[in-house]
Amino acid sequence: LADYVGSADLRQQLRTEEPLKYRLAAVFEQLETPLLLVLDDFEQNLELVGDRHRLLPGVAEMLSSMIWAVRQTESDHRLLLTCRYEFEFSGLSALYRQPLATLKGANLEKKCQRLDAFQPKSRVDTVLQVKAKTLSDGNPRLLEWLSKVLVDVTTDAETILAAMAEKTEEFRENILAETLLSQQSDEIRALLTRGLIYQLPVPREAMVAVGTEEAEQHIGRAVALGLMEQNADDSLRVPRVLPLEVPEDEELAGLAAKELYRLWWEAAESSSEAQRLEMHRLAIMGEEGEIAAEIAYQLAGQFRGKSRYKEAVNLCQKSLQVTTSHRLSHELATSAREIGEVDLASTFFDQALETCPDADFSY
């Protein structure tokens, strides 16, 4: 801090033998420009004791002094910590906790636009770009690593994918603390594995619904250890870069679909397109035909209204694999006709007529 203070007198005050909190307070009071003190990668100051993170010796005093000095001077100076894990500290009540979600949608695209491999004029195959985004799971640091792999490797696609997989494994080992995961109980590992059924952050109720016994308690511990993301709205998500197998359980997917349908469709005033697609994905996987049909019909109509005909066709085709619906058949046929798929449109117009009940014969 002394290196960034312009006044020699202030630098001298920082180097006195007084307790740190008094030295900081004296300097903070005299600075005209507010400071933002950033303690990045704060997990470097933590040690794992049992299943909890605690501050290394000496760090607690330093952090307490900084917090005390900012509050004591009632100034505009601020302290910002970035840390992957929750940790035990008596002064946490003075800090505002702001969970950060993984990058999605527009934020993900903004990040990708800054990376060479994902530039509009990039020579990297679009299939590989999509694969890299999927492997990154919205993590900006992993995106940066994978971008370098795609740009540097000039051999065939198989070699590139292998290099990407190695980077992902390296990320898992070094950043997401595979050893920490291995130390958890079978119950917590089971909760995290089952929670991977969701691709989007979901309400706590939805995570509890697919969890094991004592899921509430296990969720709290998983969040504290950084093994589960908790967003500002308290929604939860298990990061897909954890070294766990994503479940392909039809019964679990059906349970997840019904729970999200209850929370995001029946109880909520509205839901986003991404949330509806997530409900639909789980309904297809869990063969919950009625849920899949209802959501697909609404979404397909919206897609068609925005000239997103191919997406509407694809959505309806997936749904009709697990259910029968004259409305979906008609919606599929209508969109197929718009993109020149005459035979496909004719087939599903006929199917709509064949399966339409007399009471709803409005085609």
Side-chain angles (χ1 to χ4, degrees), residues 135-274:
L135 283 171
S136 75
D137 196 35
N139 188 294
R141 191 170 303 181
L142 184 53
L143 262 176
E144 293 170 3
W145 285 8
L146 294 179
S147 174
K148 292 177 181 178
V149 170
L150 289 177
V151 172
D152 291 343
V153 178
T154 57
T155 52
D156 59 24
E158 184 176 352
T159 302
I160 296 175
L161 291 174
M164 290 168 65
E166 289 174 6
K167 276 296 182 184
T168 305
E169 185 63 30
E170 179 182 340
F171 183 85
R172 290 171 178 170
E173 293 175 357
N174 296 337
I175 308 300
L176 291 179
E178 185 175 357
T179 53
L180 175 62
L181 183 63
S182 67
Q183 294 174 10
Q184 303 313 304
S185 66
D186 291 340
E187 290 79 8
I188 289 182
R189 291 176 63 87
L191 168 68
L192 293 171
T193 299
R194 291 173 68 84
L196 282 170
I197 197 72
Y198 298 118
Q199 292 184 357
L200 294 184
V202 298
R204 179 178 289 263
E205 293 175 69
M207 191 64 72
V208 170
V210 301
T212 53
E213 292 184 9
E214 300 182 353
E216 282 281 6
Q217 176 184 343
H218 297 323
I219 286 173
R221 179 168 295 184
V223 170
L225 293 173
L227 297 173
M228 184 179 290
E229 299 168 354
Q230 183 174 23
N231 300 318
D233 61 357
D234 288 331
S235 61
L236 300 168
R237 180 177 181 270
V238 180
R240 291 204 161 209
V241 290
L242 287 178
L244 294 169
E245 290 293 328
V246 178
E248 297 182 1
D249 186 321
E250 179 182 318
E251 182 178 353
L252 180 62
L255 174 62
K258 287 186 283 189
E259 187 65 16
L260 289 186
Y261 180 80
R262 180 181 70 83
L263 294 168
W264 283 349
W265 190 270
E266 295 180 327
E269 294 182 1
S270 62
S271 54
S272 68
E273 179 181 312

Side-chain angles (χ1 to χ4, degrees), residues 301-335:
Q302 293 174 15
F303 289 167
R304 179 165 51 82
K306 298 177 181 179
S307 300
R308 295 163 63 181
Y309 303 117
K310 289 185 178 180
E311 292 175 75
V313 168
N314 183 54
L315 192 71
C316 292
Q317 285 179 320
K318 287 182 178 179
S319 303
L320 290 170
Q321 292 176 2
V322 298
T323 189
T324 299
S325 168
H326 65 285
R327 296 194 304 168
L328 276 184
S329 295
H330 185 268
E331 193 65 52
L332 191 161
T334 303
S335 291

